[in-house]
Amino acid sequence: METLKKLVPSDLNASKWVRMILGILVLALLVWRLVDVILIQRLYGPDTWARFAITGLIIGGMYALIAIGYTLVYGILLMINFAHGEVMMLGSFAGYFVFELLAFIPSPGPENPEQVLLNAFPVLSILVAFLVGMLVSALAGYFLEKIAYRPLRKAPRLVPLISAIGASIFLQNAAMLLFGPQRRTYLNPTLLDRGLGLEIPIAGNNVLVPYTGIFSFVLSILLMLGLYLLVQKTKLGRSMRAVAEDKGAAALMGINVDAVISRTFIISGILAGAAGVMWGVHNGLLNHYVGYIPGMKAFTAAVMGGIGNIPGAMLGGMTLGILESLGPAMLGIDFQLKDVIAFTILILVLIFRPSGLLGERLSEEKV
Amino acid sequence: MKKNVTALQKGLNTGITLGVVMVFLSLTAFTVVLANIIGDSYRPTPVTYGFVIALFGFFGGLMASSKRGLPNDDWKNVLTSSAAAGLIGGVILAVPLAVLGSIHLNGTDLRNYLVMVSPDVMETYLFGIGLLPAILITVIIFAAGAILGGAFNKGAARAEWRARWMANSQEKIRSAWQAPRVQQVVAGRYSKLFFMVGALLLLFLMPFVWGSYWNYVMGTVGLYILLGLGMNIIVGLSGQLVLGYVAFFAIGAYAMGLLSSPEPLGIQLGFWPALLASILVAALTGILLGLPILNLRGDYLAIVTLGFGEIIRILIKSDSLTWFTGGPKGLRAIAQPAIFGLKFNSDVNFMHLILVGVLVGVFIAYRLQYSRTGRAWLSVQGDQTVSRATGVNTYQYKILALALGAAFAGIGGAIFASRNQFTGPEDHVLMVSINVLCLVIVGGMGSLPGVILGSFVLKGIPELLRDLTDYRLLVFGVLLVVMMIVRPEGLWPTRRPKLEKQHLSKYDPDNDEASSEEVSA
Amino acid sequence: MTKLTLTNHPPVVIEAQSVTKRFGGLVAVSSVDLSIREKTIYAIIGPNGAGKTTFFNCISGFYTPEEGEVLFYGKSIKGKTTDRIAHLGISRTYQNIRLFSQMTAIENILVGSHCRYTNHWLDAILHTRRYRREEAESLAKAHDLLKFIGLEGLGDNLASNLPYGAQRRLEIARALASNPKLLLLDEPTAGMNPQETDEMIEFIRSLRDNLGITILLIEHDMRMVMGISEYISVLDYGMKIAEGTPTEIQSNQKVIEAYLGPGAAALQEKFSRGKDE
C-alpha cells in the first residue's frame, strides 16, 4: 500500500489537502447526524432498525450477484460493462413471461380443475422461471460480448465503454418497444406471495420477513458459493484467473482467451439473470428501466469492494444494500434521497480508497 | 481471420443474422412504420409492407453476395448465396409471424405482451389474407428481394462500366475544381472574407425564414453545439471521461432560474447578470468536483461524475428541497434577455442569441485548442505521466479543462432555461450527458467541425425523422456500437495544424541563421 | 581524460547522497552515491534488474526515495513533482519511446518547451501580445530543434508516423526544448542497429559539445557505453559496485562478476593470461 502510494506521487500529493478537508467535513456531518437521530431524536425503535437492516440484506444479496458480473468482466477486460444492468433486466422479463405463461395454462391434474400450472407445481415453476431467466441473461451476455465488445478488444479504453453505453441504450429501448413502457406486476406463485413471511418479534413488535426475501437471500448466497467454487476449484476458474492476470501469457500457455472471455460473460449473465428474477419476485415491479438503477448500484458495490475482486463484490453488495436501507433513517433525511446515499458512498469510496474495501490499490498509472 | 466458407454457408449465415434482425424489427413493428413512411400514410397497405420486406431482402442479398468470404464471385456463387440468405431469412421471419398470426386470429390482442403489435399491424403482417398464404408470400417476397439484391450487386454495382464511370466523374470534378478561373476565385484575396460575410448573413437571415418549429429544432442543435464544445475540451482535449456533464448543465439552468424567477427565491435578477452567475457557478462546480477526483483513472472518473450527475438530479427533484429548487415542479417564468430595453421574446430572437453564443463558443474553443493550453491538454490526454514530466502541471490543466467545459455547459443551461421559460428535473437526466458525449465522439474527438456535425447528426436528424420517434433511441444505441466498431475516430476526425508549414511561410527560410544560434545559446 | 579533468572543478550538476528506494520488501536501489559534474557524459550500467531505471526515476521525480538526498546544483529536489523538476532543468527520455502520438512532431517539441512560457488560457482566447510573442518564439525554436535532429520538413507528421530512429531523436528534441541543464537518457540506442547506434553516439556528443548539456544515460550496449561515456557507475542488486572511467570499469573484477556470474572473472583472467603467454 505504501509503495503503491508512492508510485503516484504527483497528483495525489496535490489533492491531499483537498481530500483531507473533505474527509473531515464528511465525518463531522456524519457524526452530527448520527448523534442527532439516534441519541437525541430517537426517531425509530429497534424493530424498525431491524426491518431496515433485513431489507438491506435482501437487496444487498441481489446487488452482490450483479456486482460479481461487473467485477468478473472488469477483472478480465478492464472495462465497465455498462450494459450489465440491461442483461439483468432481460432476465427479469424472461422470468416474468415464464410465470405469465404458467399462469395461463390450466393444471392437468384431476383434483382441482380451477388451478393453473403455476400454483399446481410452484417449486417447479420457480425453478423453470429462474432457469429461463438465467438462460436468457446468459445469452444476452454472450451476444453482447460477441457483437459489441469483441471487435474492440484492442481499441483504446474509451471505445468499448462508448460501445457498452450504446448497447445499454439499445437493450433498454428494445425492451421498451417490445414489451411497452408500462409497469408490470410480477405474478408470483401463491407459495411466494409477497404478503407472506416470517414474523419475528423484536422489542415487542413483530417484524415481517417476507418469504420472497428469505428465498432470494438464500439463493443468492448459494449462487455466490457456487461461483466461488467455480472460480477456485475448476479448470475454467483457473483459466479465468489466468486470463485476468495476463492475457498474453495465458494465451501462450494454451488457454483459449476468447472462449474464456465468452464464458465469463455467460457466467456474469447467469448471475445477473438470477438477480433479475429475484428482483421481480421480491419487489414485484418490472419495466424496461428496471436494470438501470440496480446496475448502477451494483457497480458501486463492485467498486466499494474493490473492482476485480470477487469476495469484494459480495461484501460490497451486502454493505451497500444495508447502508442504503439504513442510511436515510440514520441520517434523518427524506427516503427519496436513498439513491443519493448510494452515489455519495461511491464517490467517497473512490476519493478515499480507490482500491475498495478488499481490492489492491489501483494507481492511476504505473511508471 | 474468417475461414473460407462455401457460398451456401455464407448465404445461410447472412440469412440467419438478417432473419433474427427482421424478427426483432417485426416484433417492434418497425417494418410497418417504415411502410407507413414509404407510403406516406398512417395505415400500411399490403403493397408498401411488401415493398419493405423486399427491400430488406434486397439488402440481405447485397450482403450475402459481397466479395468477402465468398470463394469466388461468379454468378453461380452469388446467386446461391443470396438465394440461401433470402430463403433462410424469410423462413426465420415467417415462423414467429405464423405463431403470432395464429394467436391473433384466435382473437387475442397481442399488445398485452408485445406493445407495438396491434391488431392492425398483425393484419398487415398477414397481408389481409389467410395465415398460410401470407407466410408463403412473406418468404417468397423476401427471397425474391435477396436474389434481386445479389444479382444487382454482381450485375451493376461491381460491373466494370460502373467503376469506369465513377473514375471518370471524379476526374471531371477534379479538373473543374482545378480550372484556373475557379482557383482564382477560391484563392482570391477577398473571397474568404466575402464567403464569411455571406455565411454570417445567411445565418442571420435563416431564423426569419424557417418559422418557429425549425427555430426550435435548430436552437436545440445550437445549444448542443455549445455543450459539445465544452465536452470536447474535457473529453476530446484533456482526455477525461466525464459522464455527469448534465450536472453542469443543470447547475447553469438552475442558477439562471433561481436568480431570475419570482419563485421560489424571488431574487429576480435580470438575464445578463444571471447568465454571468450561471457561468461562474458552473465553472466553480467543475473546479470543486475536480479537486478531489481528478487523480482517478479514466473509467472511475466516468462513474464518479455519473454519480455526481445523478445526485444533482435527485436533489433537484427531491421534495425536501422544494423551498430551494422548486422540487419536481421545476422553475417557471424565468427571465428573458433584453438589450437596451429591447425584449428578447420571439423564437427568432432566441435563435439569434444562440447563434451568437455558438459563434463566440466556436471562436473561443478554436483559439484554446490551437494554443499552448490546448497542446498541454492534448499531451495530458496522450500520456499523463510523460506530460507531467515534460513540465506540464497536469493537475491544473485537468481542472482548467473541467472548469472551462463546465462553463460552456453553464451557458448552455442558462440559455436553455431562459428560452423555455422553464426548467425542471426532467430536463437534466443522464441522457443529456450521454447525448453530448456521443455527439463529441460521433463527430470525432477533439474536432470542432466534428462537434458541429455531431450535433446536427444526433439532434437535428432525429427531428427530421419524426415518424421514427419511438425508435430514435434504439437506432442511436445501434449507431454508437456500429460507429465504435467501424469508425472509432468519428465522422470528421480532428486534424492537427501544419505548424511547420505555417512557420516557414511566415519567416523566410534563408533568414533563420540567427534563430538557430538562439537554441545553442 | 581521467581524474585530472574531473578535479578541474566544474560545478556539480546532480548529486545523489545514499539514495535508497524500496518496493515493499524489495530494495531496488540501496544507498547509491553519485555526483556528476557539468558537461560530462555519465553512464549507469548494470545487469537487468539492477535498479538503474529506478534510480533514474528517483532523480527525475517519478519516485521519491525513502532515504538519502538528491541535490540539483546543491538544492534538494527530493519529493518535488516531476513538472517542478522539469521546470528546474532536468528532462528525460524513456526506454520505450513515449511520444504524444496523436500530436505532430513539432507539437511534441512545443509541449517540451511548455514550462519555459507563461501564457495561459485567457491569453490564448484574447491573443494578447504575450501570447503572440511566445507562440512565435517557441515555434521558431521548435523548428530549429527539428532541424537540429534532422527532421526538417517532417515536422507536421504525426509523431507516431515517424520511423523508429526519428522517434528516438524527436523524444530527445522534446526533452531539449525545455533548455535542460541535465538530460537523462534511458537506453537511447535500444533496438537500433550498429549504424544507427553510431549516429546516436555522434548525436549525443554533439548535444554536449554544442549545447553544453550534462548527460546521464543508462545503456545496455557495452560498445556504446564505452565509446561515449567519460565516467561510468555500475549498479548491481541496487548497489553501486564500481565507478570510474571506461577503461577502469572494463578491467574491474566485480563488474565482470556481476555481468557474467561469480567465477567468471577468474576464468576470464585465466583466459587472458593464456592469451598473453
Side-chain angles (χ1 to χ4, degrees):
Chain A
M1 203 171 94
E2 196 60 30
T3 54
L4 279 155
K5 200 173 156 193
K6 294 253 162 63
L7 274 176
V8 275
S10 41
D11 286 350
L12 281 181
N13 282 349
S15 62
K16 200 169 68 185
W17 290 105
V18 181
R19 293 195 300 149
M20 206 141 116
I21 294 166
L22 193 70
I24 291 168
L25 282 178
V26 169
L27 265 183
L29 186 78
L30 211 61
V31 168
W32 168 55
R33 290 311 305 167
L34 286 181
V35 168
D36 189 42
V37 171
I38 297 173
L39 295 181
I40 300 173
Q41 293 192 20
R42 293 176 191 275
L43 279 176
Y44 306 99
D47 54 324
T48 316
W49 288 118
R51 214 178 57 226
F52 285 143
I54 290 166
T55 313
L57 214 57
I58 294 164
I59 300 289
M62 300 178 206
Y63 286 160
L65 285 183
I66 311 171
I68 290 170
Y70 279 107
T71 269
L72 284 176
V73 170
Y74 194 92
I76 285 186
L77 286 182
L78 290 182
M79 71 164 281
I80 297 170
N81 182 7
F82 206 85
H84 194 56
E86 274 58 52
V87 171
M88 170 210 150
M89 176 268 292
L90 291 178
S92 201
F93 266 106
Y96 167 81
F97 281 116
V98 169
F99 281 155
E100 287 285 315
L101 189 69
L102 292 176
F104 192 70
I105 304 170
S107 166
E111 62 274 11
N112 190 353
E114 292 296 299
Q115 218 177 14
V116 289
L117 268 183
L118 183 68
N119 289 323
F121 303 100
V123 178
L124 201 65
S125 303
I126 293 165
L127 193 70
V128 171
F130 269 93
L131 285 181
V132 172
M134 284 148 106
L135 179 74
V136 166
S137 286
L139 285 177
Y142 173 77
F143 282 107
L144 181 69
E145 192 268 338
K146 196 166 173 173
I147 296 169
Y149 304 154
R150 183 168 299 178
L152 307 172
R153 203 64 67 66
K154 292 195 178 71
R157 290 174 66 147
L158 246 171
V159 170
L161 184 66
I162 301 292
S163 183
I165 292 174
S168 161
I169 296 173
F170 170 79
L171 289 176
Q172 228 176 64
N173 286 280
M176 188 189 80
L177 286 171
L178 286 174
F179 312 128
Q182 75 272 30
R183 282 185 162 219
R184 292 159 184 273
T185 310
Y186 231 78
L187 181 73
N188 287 4
T190 37
L191 187 70
L192 278 183
D193 193 283
R194 275 182 289 278
L196 301 178
L198 278 182
E199 304 253 342
I200 304 172
I202 294 175
N205 286 323
N206 275 344
V207 175
L208 181 79
V209 184
Y211 290 132
T212 53
I214 299 172
F215 170 73
S216 301
F217 187 71
V218 171
L219 187 61
S220 51
I221 296 287
L222 286 179
L223 283 170
M224 282 187 251
L225 269 178
L227 176 89
Y228 195 73
L229 289 179
L230 177 93
V231 171
Q232 293 300 327
K233 303 277 183 222
T234 63
K235 198 172 161 214
L236 174 62
R238 264 204 304 282
S239 36
M240 276 167 68
R241 279 180 288 146
V243 172
E245 196 70 37
D246 187 335
K247 277 202 268 301
L252 288 178
M253 301 311 286
I255 293 172
N256 184 346
V257 174
D258 277 346
V260 170
I261 291 175
S262 273
R263 280 173 203 163
T264 308
F265 272 85
I266 290 176
I267 294 169
S268 313
I270 288 175
L271 296 179
V277 183
M278 272 180 219
W279 192 269
V281 167
H282 181 67
N283 293 340
L285 287 176
L286 172 68
N287 66 358
H288 65 284
Y289 214 54
V290 80
Y292 171 67
I293 291 286
M296 283 295 303
K297 301 274 182 62
F299 178 77
T300 305
V303 172
M304 243 172 93
I307 195 149
N309 181 324
I310 295 171
M314 300 175 186
L315 180 71
M318 296 287 179
T319 319
L320 183 72
I322 293 172
L323 281 181
E324 183 188 282
S325 172
L326 289 177
M330 284 205 302
L331 299 177
I333 56 174
D334 195 343
F335 281 84
Q336 275 183 329
L337 298 180
K338 194 178 80 174
D339 293 348
V340 171
I341 290 186
F343 293 125
T344 312
I345 291 173
L346 171 69
I347 293 183
L348 293 179
V349 165
L350 281 175
I351 292 174
F352 293 104
R353 201 178 152 80
S355 57
L357 300 174
L358 298 184
E360 60 179 304
R361 193 167 275 263
L362 287 162
S363 57
E364 182 168 24
E365 270 163 301
K366 288 180 182 160
V367 178
Chain B
M1 284 300 233
K2 241 178 198 152
K3 271 180 285 176
N4 249 355
V5 289
T6 64
L8 189 66
Q9 274 170 323
K10 177 173 159 128
L12 289 181
N13 286 342
T14 318
I16 290 170
T17 314
L18 195 72
V20 171
V21 173
M22 284 302 292
V23 170
F24 176 71
L25 294 182
S26 300
L27 293 184
T28 53
F30 191 74
T31 43
V32 172
V33 173
L34 275 187
N36 284 344
I37 293 174
I38 289 170
D40 199 20
S41 75
Y42 291 103
R43 288 183 70 86
T45 63
V47 178
T48 49
Y49 173 68
F51 183 72
V52 168
I53 294 292
L55 204 66
F56 275 103
F58 187 83
F59 179 67
L62 286 184
M63 285 204 315
S65 60
S66 72
K67 269 187 202 159
R68 236 179 70 198
L70 271 190
N72 59 51
D73 64 332
D74 56 6
W75 275 101
K76 185 176 150 249
N77 269 331
V78 165
L79 287 185
T80 318
S81 175
S82 48
L87 277 176
I88 194 79
V91 170
I92 290 178
L93 170 62
V95 171
L97 287 191
V99 175
L100 292 183
S102 56
I103 298 174
H104 165 70
L105 292 177
N106 268 345
T108 315
D109 192 342
L110 286 161
R111 273 179 296 187
N112 288 339
Y113 298 103
L114 295 167
V115 77
M116 299 306 262
V117 188
S118 61
D120 272 2
V121 168
M122 226 36 241
E123 277 305 313
T124 314
Y125 287 160
L126 297 179
F127 289 97
I129 49 181
L131 186 63
L132 209 62
I135 296 304
L136 269 178
I137 286 183
T138 307
V139 176
I140 290 171
I141 293 180
F142 196 76
I147 294 172
L148 211 64
F152 173 80
N153 202 357
K154 170 73 180 155
R158 237 185 267 152
E160 235 173 71
W161 57 266
R162 191 176 159 276
R164 218 178 308 131
W165 180 77
M166 287 285 284
N168 254 340
S169 47
Q170 271 175 10
E171 184 51 42
K172 259 183 208 151
I173 293 172
R174 197 178 304 133
S175 60
W177 174 248
Q178 281 168 346
R181 192 174 297 168
V182 175
Q183 282 297 310
Q184 219 171 2
V185 172
V186 172
R189 194 161 180 177
Y190 296 107
S191 61
K192 216 174 186 176
L193 187 74
F194 181 78
F195 179 73
M196 270 171 79
V197 170
L200 279 180
L201 203 67
L202 197 68
L203 278 179
F204 178 76
L205 291 178
M206 279 318 267
F208 294 106
V209 184
W210 274 338
S212 59
Y213 173 69
W214 279 104
N215 275 331
Y216 183 78
V217 172
M218 285 298 142
T220 308
V221 171
L223 286 174
Y224 269 84
I225 292 177
L226 270 178
L227 295 180
L229 290 171
M231 190 66 149
N232 189 45
I233 291 177
I234 300 177
V235 179
L237 298 184
S238 81
Q240 308 167 74
L241 183 56
V242 167
L243 283 183
Y245 194 60
V246 68
F248 307 130
F249 180 70
I251 283 166
Y254 267 80
M256 170 58 78
L258 290 172
L259 291 176
S260 74
S261 154
E263 272 180 291
L265 299 183
I267 296 174
Q268 286 193 279
L269 280 174
F271 174 84
W272 298 109
L275 179 70
L276 195 68
S278 305
I279 298 170
L280 289 180
V281 172
L284 197 69
T285 316
I287 294 172
L288 286 181
L289 176 68
L291 283 176
I293 66 168
L294 279 186
N295 51 353
L296 294 174
R297 275 200 323 209
D299 28 16
Y300 281 82
L301 188 74
I303 295 299
V304 172
T305 50
L306 192 154
F308 178 69
E310 286 291 292
I311 289 177
I312 296 283
R313 187 182 63 84
I314 297 169
L315 286 181
I316 291 175
K317 202 177 174 181
S318 144
D319 288 327
S320 50
L321 288 175
T322 305
W323 58 272
F324 183 63
T325 63
K329 290 198 318 291
L331 301 169
R332 279 163 211 290
I334 294 165
Q336 295 181 322
I339 299 178
F340 309 124
L342 194 73
K343 272 248 175 199
F344 273 53
N345 43 22
S346 73
D347 51 312
V348 176
N349 287 341
F350 264 102
M351 191 63 222
H352 282 145
L353 179 72
I354 290 170
L355 271 177
V356 171
V358 167
L359 288 177
V360 172
V362 168
F363 175 79
I364 289 176
Y366 180 85
R367 284 206 156 172
L368 281 174
Q369 183 157 3
Y370 298 109
S371 68
R372 172 174 175 265
T373 312
R375 287 190 299 268
W377 280 331
L378 269 180
S379 73
V380 173
Q381 186 201 41
D383 188 332
Q384 192 172 316
T385 317
V386 174
S387 170
R388 183 141 209 174
T390 315
V392 179
N393 188 334
T394 51
Y395 192 60
Q396 277 176 11
Y397 273 93
K398 279 157 84 177
I399 288 187
L400 176 66
L402 208 54
L404 290 176
F408 272 97
I411 302 173
I415 298 180
F416 175 80
S418 170
R419 183 183 70 155
N420 293 359
Q421 296 245 300
F422 167 79
T423 191
E426 297 316 311
D427 290 338
H428 309 292
V429 291
L430 176 71
M431 216 41 220
V432 177
S433 301
I434 290 183
N435 268 322
V436 177
L437 176 69
C438 291
L439 78 87
V440 169
I441 286 164
V442 167
M445 284 229 302
S447 152
L448 293 181
V451 168
I452 297 167
L453 186 64
S455 304
F456 276 99
V457 169
L458 291 189
K459 288 312 289 185
I461 290 182
E463 292 295 334
L464 289 176
L465 304 175
R466 282 263 118 177
D467 296 326
L468 290 175
T469 319
D470 293 336
Y471 303 90
R472 210 154 59 181
L473 284 172
L474 190 81
V475 175
F476 180 54
V478 175
L479 185 80
L480 278 187
V481 176
V482 171
M483 184 93 190
M484 286 304 105
I485 294 171
V486 179
R487 202 179 159 84
E489 74 274 21
L491 294 173
W492 192 322
T494 173
R495 286 220 192 95
R496 300 308 307 157
K498 304 270 177 238
L499 287 174
E500 189 180 20
K501 216 166 126 196
Q502 193 182 315
H503 171 75
L504 288 179
S505 63
K506 216 177 265 178
Y507 301 95
D508 190 7
D510 300 321
N511 199 16
D512 55 11
E513 295 290 294
S515 49
S516 72
E517 265 160 38
E518 229 172 77
V519 172
S520 28
Chain C
M1 195 55 190
T2 50
K3 289 259 154 89
L4 212 76
T5 50
L6 284 170
T7 47
N8 217 356
H9 303 308
V12 173
V13 177
I14 191 110
E15 188 171 6
Q17 296 172 345
S18 55
V19 165
T20 301
K21 174 73 202 166
R22 296 190 192 89
F23 293 112
L26 177 86
V27 186
V29 174
S30 155
S31 116
V32 170
D33 291 298
L34 200 93
S35 91
I36 304 173
R37 290 183 185 278
E38 223 168 44
K39 296 191 186 179
T40 322
I41 298 181
Y42 197 110
I44 299 177
I45 62 171
N48 277 331
K52 301 178 302 257
T53 300
T54 309
F55 181 70
F56 236 54
N57 285 338
C58 288
I59 291 181
S60 54
F62 281 68
Y63 299 154
T64 310
E66 273 92 24
E67 288 160 33
E69 260 307 338
V70 183
L71 303 174
F72 183 61
Y73 282 106
K75 286 202 191 96
S76 171
I77 57 168
K78 183 178 144 183
K80 284 205 155 77
T81 54
T82 50
D83 57 319
R84 291 306 305 159
I85 289 174
H87 196 83
L88 288 171
I90 301 179
S91 53
R92 67 170 290 179
T93 67
Y94 302 85
Q95 196 172 336
N96 40 347
I97 303 172
R98 287 172 85 171
L99 287 164
F100 304 120
S101 52
Q102 83 283 33
M103 300 169 86
T104 63
I106 202 160
E107 281 183 306
N108 266 279
I109 302 179
L110 285 172
V111 173
S113 66
H114 178 93
C115 61
R116 293 292 164 241
Y117 297 100
T118 54
N119 75 75
H120 52 77
W121 59 280
L122 264 179
D123 292 307
I125 293 172
L126 302 173
H127 273 201
T128 56
R129 190 181 300 157
R130 169 166 67 164
Y131 173 85
R132 276 172 293 161
R133 173 172 49 77
E134 291 190 350
E135 204 67 354
E137 198 181 304
S138 58
L139 198 55
K141 191 173 136 187
H143 186 248
D144 291 336
L145 271 170
L146 212 55
K147 238 186 192 172
F148 183 68
I149 60 169
L151 291 183
E152 202 184 6
L154 296 175
D156 289 337
N157 288 44
L158 285 187
S160 50
N161 293 346
L162 293 173
Y164 183 79
Q167 291 196 16
R168 279 253 174 246
R169 275 174 296 162
L170 179 60
E171 212 188 18
I172 296 178
R174 180 180 70 189
L176 290 176
S178 62
N179 301 332
K181 298 183 181 100
L182 173 67
L183 181 62
L184 308 173
L185 301 175
D186 196 343
E187 302 204 14
T189 62
M192 288 186 168
N193 63 32
Q195 192 210 332
E196 285 172 326
T197 304
D198 286 341
E199 282 171 18
M200 185 52 85
I201 290 177
E202 272 318 300
F203 179 65
I204 293 172
R205 275 222 186 88
S206 74
L207 291 181
R208 197 265 313 264
D209 297 342
N210 296 339
L211 307 181
I213 295 172
T214 313
I215 288 164
L216 171 61
L217 58 91
I218 295 178
E219 191 48 76
H220 261 131
D221 186 344
M222 277 304 145
R223 191 175 68 93
M224 162 176 195
V225 171
M226 297 305 166
I228 191 172
S229 45
E230 292 147 0
Y231 217 71
I232 297 175
S233 276
V234 188
L235 292 190
D236 190 25
Y237 291 111
M239 277 179 289
K240 190 168 82 174
I241 56 170
E243 68 175 308
T245 59
T247 37
E248 285 166 15
I249 292 297
Q250 264 167 332
S251 54
N252 188 309
Q253 300 302 307
K254 271 193 189 160
V255 176
I256 294 166
E257 261 178 40
Y259 266 89
L260 301 173
L267 211 84
Q268 199 214 21
E269 210 173 302
K270 212 159 140 195
F271 182 70
S272 55
R273 215 187 304 132
K275 220 166 47 181
D276 286 345
E277 284 163 9

